[in-house]
Amino acid sequence: HIKLASQYTKIHNIIAPNPTLLEYYLNTITKSPEYEHILPTYQKYLNWELETLSANPTFDQTCIEKWTADQRDVVVDALKGSQAYHALLEDCKLLKMPRLLKLARWKLFQGCLLLTVDQRMANWAVLKDYDELNELGDSWLGLCLKLGVPEFLAETRFFRHFVFNTGKVANKETNIIEKQKMCNILDVLKEHGFIDDDHNMAKNKASTNLVALGADELTIAIEGDQLEKIMEVLQHDTRTTCYNLRYSLFEIQEIDTEKFIVHNYNLFTRELLYKSFRSVPKNMFYMFFKKYILEEEICVEDTYFWADGKLAQWNMEHFFDQN
């Protein structure tokens, strides 16, 4: 059993409204392939915690939060001391933040085949673009491990954002470059006819197939035979060929007001990989997860949530009729 459960759930973005039921929640979510990576991380964290507590039995939540911040500071110092960091700052001195319309029109594209193109580990990728001396090594994980950060922490999205955001590692500059890259991706896809019309238009009047747009990812509705062509174009166009892009193929369906279930597919076989959610509140997560993902009966453990600093429970009578 994990003693410092709240830190584990924070690091791995696991919803556990009642920390004493952590193992129940882990056993529940890992029934879905989306979370199959969780159990190995649990074992790594548990081994680290046991070793730490045996050396220091008084190690508590305050201690681990300070320890996590110390790990962040080690990596921040390495990043800010690199040639890449200073080259990025210098290059962005005269650059203005690109104008990029934020768009999210999921409801209009239910049942359509959707493709998300995103910049993998975008903030790290921007810094690596400037690492001509390879001071930072070949990978984010490799750099962190070299600096002594335990693997269970280094491999998480939480820690990378903790380093870049709270460590203030060129936030404005990386955001400028991320948006520049996204503008380039948009231009390439528009020029080759994969995005209809201009994305700079009113959200509900747009005739474009552009579904969603952010600083480091976009989603478009596509025809079934367009995926390979899009990947080939982005791979070979000189503006985007060096980008480390990730592709996700899925369909979306509204299951409740502004709450969606996502069917995630294999890029090439179109086989269903797993189902996930978009816009389902954390305080309702396990009830929706049981009903729509696992299609199992909802238990009392699924109904807990926090309200005004206290543990509370949903009244399940007619809950899904009212929401």
Side-chain angles (χ1 to χ4, degrees), residues 178-238:
E178 285 172 20
K179 286 188 175 181
Q180 276 189 342
K181 288 183 175 182
M182 189 49 58
C183 288
N184 288 341
I185 293 169
L186 269 172
D187 289 342
V188 170
L189 294 180
K190 285 164 62 178
E191 289 170 16
H192 286 82
F194 295 116
I195 293 180
D196 310 322
D197 211 340
D198 196 300
H199 69 280
N200 260 328
M201 54 182 68
K203 292 180 183 178
N204 11 0
K205 297 181 180 177
S207 60
T208 177
N209 62 325
L210 186 61
V211 181
L213 181 62
D216 62 359
E217 70 175 32
L218 63 81
T219 300
I220 58 175
I222 65 169
E223 301 297 331
D225 62 345
Q226 289 184 315
L227 172 61
E228 290 82 357
K229 297 174 184 176
I230 289 172
M231 294 174 69
E232 185 177 356
V233 162
L234 291 174
Q235 184 179 355
H236 291 101
D237 192 285
T238 55

Side-chain angles (χ1 to χ4, degrees), residues 116-147:
T116 289
V117 181
D118 75 274
Q119 303 172 47
R120 194 190 302 267
M121 300 179 71
N123 42 20
W124 164 253
V126 167
L127 200 56
K128 272 299 294 177
D129 287 343
Y130 289 85
D131 188 24
E132 295 180 359
L133 304 178
N134 200 32
E135 290 178 282
L136 303 179
D138 296 327
S139 69
W140 168 256
L141 180 59
L143 173 67
C144 291
L145 294 179
K146 181 181 177 182
L147 294 171

Side-chain angles (χ1 to χ4, degrees), residues 75-83 85-86 127 136 167-170:
V75 181
V76 168
D77 288 345
L79 295 179
K80 289 186 175 181
S82 69
Q83 165 269 333
Y85 176 79
H86 295 286
L127 200 56
L136 303 179
K168 299 180 180 178
V169 181

Side-chain angles (χ1 to χ4, degrees), residues 136-182:
L136 303 179
D138 296 327
S139 69
W140 168 256
L141 180 59
L143 173 67
C144 291
L145 294 179
K146 181 181 177 182
L147 294 171
V149 180
E151 185 177 8
F152 80 83
L153 181 62
E155 64 188 358
T156 63
R157 184 175 183 269
F158 159 83
F159 185 65
R160 179 167 52 84
H161 285 284
F162 190 49
V163 168
F164 276 87
N165 295 340
T166 67
K168 299 180 180 178
V169 181
N171 298 132
K172 177 184 175 183
E173 290 78 10
T174 53
N175 197 232
I176 288 174
I177 304 299
E178 285 172 20
K179 286 188 175 181
Q180 276 189 342
K181 288 183 175 182
M182 189 49 58

Side-chain angles (χ1 to χ4, degrees), residues 3 31 103 112 168 181 184 207 210 264 296:
K3 176 183 176 183
K31 290 180 182 179
L103 198 65
C112 298
K168 299 180 180 178
K181 288 183 175 182
N184 288 341
S207 60
L210 186 61
N264 300 276
E296 293 181 1

